[in-house]
Every structure is written in C-alpha cells, then in structure tokens.
Amino acid sequence: AQSVSQHNHHVILSEAASLELGCNYSYGGTVNLFWYVQYPGQHLQLLLKYFSGDPLVKGIKGFEAEFIKSKFSFNLRKPSVQWSDTAEYFCAVNGGGTNFGNEKLTFGTGTRLTIIP
Amino acid sequence: GAGVSQTPSNKVTEKGKYVELRCDPISGHTALYWYRQSLGQGPEFLIYFQGTGAADDSGLPNDRFFAVRPEGSVSTLKIQRTERGDSAMYLCASSATPGEKLFFGSGTQLSVL
C-alpha cells in the first residue's frame, strides 16, 4: 500500500527565511506527486504537481519541489518565505503513468507552517 | 458552479442517528472523491466516482458508510448508525481528469455526540 511521510509536524520561521519541507513516499511503481496547501479558513488547493519530465517542479507563489526518485522524496522549497505563507502543507501521491485504478490520492499528515513577521 | 460546494458546512448529530452529506462538484467534472480528515491528520481516502459508478470504494471504513452519485453530478455520502469516532471533517473533491488536479470543497464538519 502506498504511504506518505511528512516528518516536520510544525515549522516556525521568520519572514525571508528559506523553507524546505520534507516528503517521503512509499509506492511500488510510477508515481504522480503533489503538494496541496490549506490557508487558514480556506479549502485545500493545489500548490504544484509532478507527473513526469523535469524533476524540479515550479508551482504558484514561488514554491518549487524536487522529485528524487532514488530517495523516494519530493521536498517542497521556497527561498524566501512571507507571512502569507502561513498554512498547512500536505504532500500526496497516486499511481502515475497508465496505472488506471490508482487515481486516489494518499496524503501525508501535513506540516503546519507558521511565519513570524 | 464556481467551485465544489458541500452542504451542510456543519452537522451535529447524536450517536446512532443517520446523516447525509452532500457534494456538488464543479460542472463537467466526471471524477468525484470523498475524503475524511481527522484533527491533526491528512485527508484519508473514502471513495472515488467516475461518472455514476464507484470506481474505488476501498477506503470506506465499514458497511455503515455508503455513497451515491445517481446522475453523475451531485453525490451524497450516507452514514448509518453514527458513532462518536465518525466525527471528522468530510471533504469532497472533483477533477476533470481522474488522478490529476483535485478541486476541494470547504468540507462538512460532522460532530457525533
């Protein structure tokens, strides 16, 4: 069964600091990888996704993530965070390629990010 | 509509009662998902519809949980004989292409007393 681990439960940073949130997955096959974000009082929304090709993926609001297949990782990064980045971040995985029947997403437990002005 | 709509936003019920939670997906989205999120956890998959049929219901915890999507649009999650452990945020999402970008609703917070 597929699983996702997010080891950082709560991260506190000052504005302008650099960010890296860890995500490791377990899945026996081709994968699609996602980061979703939930801002306070809002619904979950897609931040970025990796399906294939360039393992460095750029998303909205200056975020990026790098797929490292050998490490089963898909860490999220941002060079300089802002107070508005305060949110909960979820890594997720599903079966990619032609693995029909693997459309369901498996989410990690999430990382709460607090940015101090 | 503009986004995925879920009603009610909050539901308080008593142990043993029956509840229905409604999801109205984005118009034209064929794939619809139900997730459950407990406090401090990530969303947990319950069931996925492609059109009217349940393509994957492997996440439903037991036979008290059932979901339908009779016309391939609106879906209803039904929980019989509710238990206190069913208390959680129930999230619905839809996508234009199965397995790709999911659009989530704001959820229904279910509290079983």
Side-chain angles (χ1 to χ4, degrees):
Chain A
Q2 56 206 45
S3 65
V4 178
S5 296
Q6 292 182 248
H7 304 295
N8 312 108
H9 298 294
H10 189 192
V11 173
I12 302 173
L13 295 172
S14 297
E15 275 192 310
S18 65
L19 169 71
E20 181 161 2
L21 300 182
C23 172
N24 289 91
Y25 68 92
S26 171
Y27 189 81
T30 307
V31 293
N32 295 328
L33 295 155
F34 306 79
W35 276 96
Y36 279 82
V37 61
Q38 187 166 25
Y39 296 104
Q42 297 187 28
H43 55 266
L44 274 164
Q45 56 187 286
L46 183 68
L47 198 56
L48 50 78
K49 62 183 180 182
Y50 170 81
F51 282 1
S52 63
D54 188 344
L56 185 61
V57 179
K58 295 194 183 297
I60 60 172
K61 304 187 179 185
F63 285 90
E64 65 178 32
E66 185 175 10
F67 171 48
I68 302 179
K69 189 175 180 180
S70 61
K71 294 185 178 180
F72 298 91
S73 70
F74 190 56
N75 292 356
L76 181 69
R77 302 195 293 247
K78 185 171 183 178
S80 177
V81 294
Q82 301 172 306
W83 177 79
S84 59
D85 293 326
T86 294
E88 185 118 23
Y89 293 80
F90 294 92
C91 183
V93 63
N94 69 3
T98 57
N99 292 336
F100 296 115
N102 292 317
E103 296 86 358
K104 66 184 182 187
L105 277 179
T106 298
F107 285 84
T109 53
T111 296
R112 184 154 62 102
L113 176 64
T114 301
I115 306 299
I116 301 170
Chain B
V4 178
S5 175
Q6 290 188 247
T7 54
S9 55
N10 279 283
K11 177 70 178 179
V12 181
T13 191
E14 293 180 345
K15 180 175 179 293
K17 299 289 188 182
Y18 168 83
V19 296
E20 289 190 352
L21 312 180
R22 176 189 168 105
C23 173
D24 202 338
I26 292 172
S27 179
H29 280 191
T30 59
L32 185 147
Y33 306 76
W34 283 99
Y35 283 83
R36 178 169 69 174
Q37 186 174 18
S38 301
L39 203 59
Q41 301 296 315
E44 175 190 5
F45 172 79
L46 295 177
I47 187 169
Y48 151 60
F49 287 90
Q50 178 58 31
T52 60
D56 185 345
D57 65 357
S58 62
L60 294 177
N62 51 60
D63 61 5
R64 295 187 298 106
F65 289 74
F66 189 70
V68 295
R69 196 186 184 198
E71 297 178 357
S73 177
V74 171
S75 177
T76 305
L77 179 65
K78 308 180 181 195
I79 310 174
Q80 297 178 322
R81 304 183 304 279
T82 52
E83 300 177 357
R84 293 196 178 87
D86 299 335
S87 296
M89 176 71 81
Y90 288 81
L91 298 171
C92 177
S94 69
S95 69
T97 305
E100 297 202 5
K101 179 177 180 179
L102 265 58
F103 294 82
F104 281 86
S106 297
T108 294
Q109 181 65 54
L110 176 66
S111 299
V112 182
L113 305 180

